[in-house]
Amino acid sequence: MSLLTTAGGLALAFAGYPAARRLGGRFAAPAVLPDDETVREHLLKWLVTGALLAYVLVVENEPLASLGATLPPSIPIAGGVGGVAGLLVWWVGGLVGTIALSTVAYNLFRQFEWDTSEAFSEEQGERPAAAFLFTAVTAGVTESVLYQAYPIERLAGLSGSVVLAGLVSWLVFTAVHYATDRFSLQATVFTSVPALAVTVLYVLSGSVYVVVLVHATVNALSFLSQ
C-alpha cells in the first residue's frame, strides 16, 4: 500500500466528518430527514464511515480485518478465554475501566469547578429515547472505525509503533470534538478521558468490536443515568 493511498484514507477518517458537517450546514436539510439535528449529524457519520469502508475494500484492496474487524486475543485465565466469550470479557473489563476513569475525571473536574457539560446532559435527557439510542450506537460504531481502528492500524504500519499511532489518533479525535462540539473547552477535555480509555483498549485488544461495544454501552448508560 502506497504512502499516498494511506494518506488519503487517513484524511477521510480524520477530516471526513467535520468536512461533511460543514458542507451540510450550507444547505437546507431534505424534508425526509428527521427534525432532530443531532440525528441528522450522526447520519453523516454513517455516510463517512461507509465511504471509508469502501475506500479500504476498493482503493486499498484490503480486507476489513486490516482495520481491526477481528476478535480480540485470548485472555490467559482459566486456560485461556477466547472467541465470543473472550470478546465479552474484554467488553466487561473495558467498560469497567472506562467508567472508572471517567468517574475519576468527573470528580476531579468538579473539584476544580470545571464545566462538565451538565447542561448538555440535561438537554440529552429530554430527547426521545429512540433518538438518543440511535446516536449512542452510531457514535459507538462510526467513531470507533474513524478515530481508533483505521488510523491506529495505518499509522502503526507507517511508524512501527502502535503506541504512537494510538496517541496521534486520540489527539486528533479530541481536536475533532473541539472543532465540532458546541460546548466548552473543558467539556472537550472531559470527553477526551473516555476517548483515551477506548483508544488504549484498542491498542491492547486490536479489535474494533471491543471498542464499539464499550463505546456504545457507555453512551447508552449516560442516557439511562439522566
Side-chain angles (χ1 to χ4, degrees), residues 47-69:
L47 178 64
V48 175
T49 301
L52 180 63
L53 295 179
Y55 188 89
V56 170
L57 294 172
V58 178
V59 179
E60 293 184 346
N61 195 27
E62 294 285 343
L64 296 183
S66 70
L67 46 77

Side-chain angles (χ1 to χ4, degrees), residues 2-214:
S2 71
L3 177 60
L4 183 60
T5 300
T6 301
L10 289 171
L12 179 58
F14 283 152
Y17 170 63
R21 186 173 180 268
R22 185 176 181 85
L23 182 62
R26 297 183 178 182
F27 303 96
V32 296
L33 293 180
D35 291 333
D36 191 309
E37 182 180 357
T38 303
V39 169
R40 294 200 302 268
E41 291 178 352
H42 278 67
L43 287 173
L44 287 177
K45 290 184 180 181
W46 283 112
L47 178 64
V48 175
T49 301
L52 180 63
L53 295 179
Y55 188 89
V56 170
L57 294 172
V58 178
V59 179
E60 293 184 346
N61 195 27
E62 294 285 343
L64 296 183
S66 70
L67 46 77
T70 59
L71 290 173
S74 298
I75 300 174
I77 57 175
V81 178
V84 175
L87 174 63
L88 296 177
V89 175
W90 275 97
W91 174 27
V92 173
L95 183 61
V96 170
T98 301
I99 292 175
L101 184 61
S102 299
T103 301
V104 170
Y106 177 78
N107 290 328
L108 181 62
F109 284 17
R110 284 180 64 89
Q111 186 71 26
F112 288 95
E113 298 183 347
W114 276 26
D115 172 22
T116 52
S117 297
E118 292 181 357
F120 171 65
S121 298
E122 293 175 1
E123 175 189 332
Q124 295 304 299
E126 296 173 355
R127 297 176 64 216
F132 187 93
L133 291 177
F134 170 76
T135 58
V137 172
T138 292
V141 175
T142 62
E143 292 179 4
S144 297
V145 173
L146 296 174
Y147 301 110
Q148 276 96 47
Y150 182 86
I152 290 177
E153 292 294 340
R154 297 303 184 264
L155 289 171
L158 291 176
S159 67
S161 171
V162 68
V163 174
L164 177 60
L167 178 61
V168 172
S169 297
W170 172 63
L171 290 174
V172 172
F173 183 50
T174 301
V176 167
H177 265 278
Y178 179 71
T180 58
D181 280 352
R182 294 167 295 222
F183 311 107
S184 66
L185 173 62
Q186 290 92 336
T188 301
V189 172
F190 181 72
T191 301
S192 74
V193 175
L196 175 61
V198 294
T199 298
V200 171
L201 190 59
Y202 185 85
V203 169
L204 293 176
S205 70
S207 173
V208 71
Y209 300 139
V210 174
V211 180
V212 166
L213 286 172
V214 171

